[in-house]
């Protein structure tokens, strides 16, 4: 039996636009998927967490098994504390954890780059046309600026240093975020009006560039404002629902520095930037009083494997 871990993430800036080549800023969070593998007669998948789709997950497992050239059969056990309701990169965290566990069980020495590549093969099953940002941040953790290339080998990313990490709150809408459906919807809108979408891409690119500077300087007030600007663009492309708006409203009424949808949207999660951990806890309480689940996540601190 061998174990592998993949970390969750939030996209601070640039979701959806990253699919079309605009850089995105993603940061790892400490919640994680824990994957164990054990040789067995037949292939089996045993989740100890709610909300996974076993047939889909099995297809991702087979893709990764084939990509890694593993002939033997095995059982995969999934546990950990990473919620699977969408927006926090749970499928990518699973794929990365699985690649690590398989490498340990079948004695394959892999570089992080190879782990990332194999995990991408699994992500394709979950997301159809993934940009690769999720598996990259699940592999490396910390904070990255990610830019999609023409092929997954040409994806580029740079690590950025954000010190002790950001005091974030994850607000949970309770509505499952179907990333591939949202990506498809955005594509349809884009194809209907390419000019309009190109303008939004330009605006997003500016926001991401300014956000990187603010992050590196530790200017969280500016960062919060940029999150709200980014949220306006997410509204325009149609990936925000009423529950997302309510969460953002509660957060801002409780003096959050900024808040936005994170990941696929259409429900899923929002991220909220607080001043510090205590302020983050206050926002969590306000959200809970408003009927939403929420938790504090320190973003960007580099995980230890
Ligand atoms: O919903 P998540 O956590 O899987 O994030 C998806 C991010 C998108 O930009 C919407 C899609 C992608 O492949 O980058």
């Amino acid at each position: 039996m061998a174990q592998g871990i993949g970390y969750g993430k939030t996209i601070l800036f640039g979701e959806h636009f990253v699919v079309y080549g605009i850089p995105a800023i993603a940061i790892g969070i400490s919640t994680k998927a824990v994957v164990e593998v054990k040789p067995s007669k037949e292939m089996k998948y045993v989740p100890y967490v709610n909300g996974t789709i076993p047939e889909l997950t099995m297809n991702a497992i087979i893709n990764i098994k084939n990509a890694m050239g593993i002939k033997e059969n095995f059982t995969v056990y999934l546990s950990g504390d990473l919620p699977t309701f969408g927006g926090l990169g749970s499928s990518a965290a699973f794929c990365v954890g699985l690649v690590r566990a398989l490498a340990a069980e079948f004695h394959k020495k892999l570089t992080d780059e190879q782990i990332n590549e194999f995990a991408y093969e699994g992500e394709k099953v979950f997301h159809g046309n993934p940009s690769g940002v999720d598996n990259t941040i699940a592999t490396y953790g910390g904070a990255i600026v990610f830019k999609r290339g023409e092929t997954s080998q040409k994806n580029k990313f740079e690590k950025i240093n954000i010190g002790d990490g950001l005091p974030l709150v994850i607000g949970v809408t309770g509505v499952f975020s179907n990333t591939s459906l949202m990506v498809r919807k955005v594509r349809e809108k884009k194809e209907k009006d390419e000019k309009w979408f190109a303008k939004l891409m330009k605006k997003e690119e500016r926001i991401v560039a300014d956000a990187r500077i603010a992050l590196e300087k530790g200017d969280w007030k500016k960062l919060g404002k940029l999150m709200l600007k980014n949220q306006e663009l997410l509204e325009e492309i149609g990936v925000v629902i009423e529950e997302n708006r309510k969460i953002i409203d509660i957060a801002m009424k409780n003096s959050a520095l900024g808040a936005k949808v994170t990941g696929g949207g259409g429900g899923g999660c929002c991220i909220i930037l607080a001043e510090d951990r205590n302020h983050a806890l206050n926002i969590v309480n306000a959200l809970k009083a408003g009927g939403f689940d929420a938790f504090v996540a320190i973003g960007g601190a580099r995980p230890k494997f």
Side-chain angles (χ1 to χ4, degrees), residues 125-274:
V125 174
F126 290 110
H127 283 333
N129 179 25
S131 63
V133 62
D134 281 14
N135 43 287
T136 303
I137 191 71
T139 301
Y140 294 92
I144 60 168
V145 179
F146 174 93
K147 188 169 173 13
R148 187 179 199 176
E150 277 154 35
T151 63
S152 66
Q153 284 85 358
K154 289 190 180 155
N155 289 345
K156 286 207 173 87
F157 74 95
E158 255 180 276
K159 294 179 185 173
I160 45 180
N161 188 1
I162 58 170
D164 293 337
L166 290 176
L168 296 173
V169 174
I170 309 290
V172 183
T173 61
V175 180
F176 179 71
S177 166
N178 184 336
T179 302
S180 52
L181 175 72
M182 297 320 286
V183 169
R184 204 165 59 238
K185 275 190 167 176
V186 173
R187 180 176 296 277
E188 279 164 15
K189 283 195 156 201
K190 172 179 177 287
E191 283 170 0
K192 266 198 190 136
D193 193 343
E194 292 286 357
K195 260 196 177 157
W196 160 79
F197 199 80
K199 268 193 203 152
L200 298 187
M201 297 238 291
K202 270 229 149 76
K203 284 190 189 170
E204 182 69 43
E205 198 166 17
R206 187 71 259 158
I207 291 174
V208 174
D210 289 347
R212 181 188 179 146
I213 297 168
L215 256 179
E216 285 177 331
K217 274 194 194 158
D219 187 350
W220 295 355
K221 278 210 169 109
K222 171 90 184 177
L223 202 65
K225 284 193 183 129
L226 290 166
M227 285 166 77
L228 293 170
K229 265 193 169 178
N230 195 150
Q231 175 63 14
E232 284 170 21
L233 298 186
L234 293 172
E235 278 280 4
E236 282 210 53
I237 60 172
V239 299
V240 184
I241 63 169
E242 209 37 51
E243 284 83 349
N244 296 119
R245 287 184 202 108
K246 277 189 193 151
I247 288 177
I248 293 169
D249 189 50
I250 294 174
M252 295 315 295
K253 283 193 175 127
N254 284 275
S255 313
L257 297 178
K260 63 182 271 297
V261 159
T262 185
C269 296
C270 295
I271 40 166
I272 297 148
L273 180 61

Side-chain angles (χ1 to χ4, degrees), residues 1 22 50 71 198-199 205 249 303:
M1 172 95 96
I22 298 297
N50 291 326
K71 301 275 179 286
K199 268 193 203 152
E205 198 166 17
D249 189 50

Side-chain angles (χ1 to χ4, degrees), residues 70-84:
I70 294 170
K71 301 275 179 286
E72 297 88 337
N73 285 341
F74 50 83
T75 300
V76 177
Y77 304 87
L78 170 63
S79 59
D81 58 356
L82 183 60
T84 50

Side-chain angles (χ1 to χ4, degrees), residues 49-100:
V49 297
N50 291 326
T52 74
I53 307 167
E55 305 78 51
L56 198 67
T57 307
M58 189 44 105
N59 288 343
I61 293 170
I62 300 292
N63 260 23
I64 289 177
K65 177 180 191 276
N66 291 341
M68 290 179 73
I70 294 170
K71 301 275 179 286
E72 297 88 337
N73 285 341
F74 50 83
T75 300
V76 177
Y77 304 87
L78 170 63
S79 59
D81 58 356
L82 183 60
T84 50
F85 33 65
L88 298 180
S90 55
S91 60
F94 168 75
C95 292
V96 168
L98 176 62
V99 173
R100 287 208 168 102

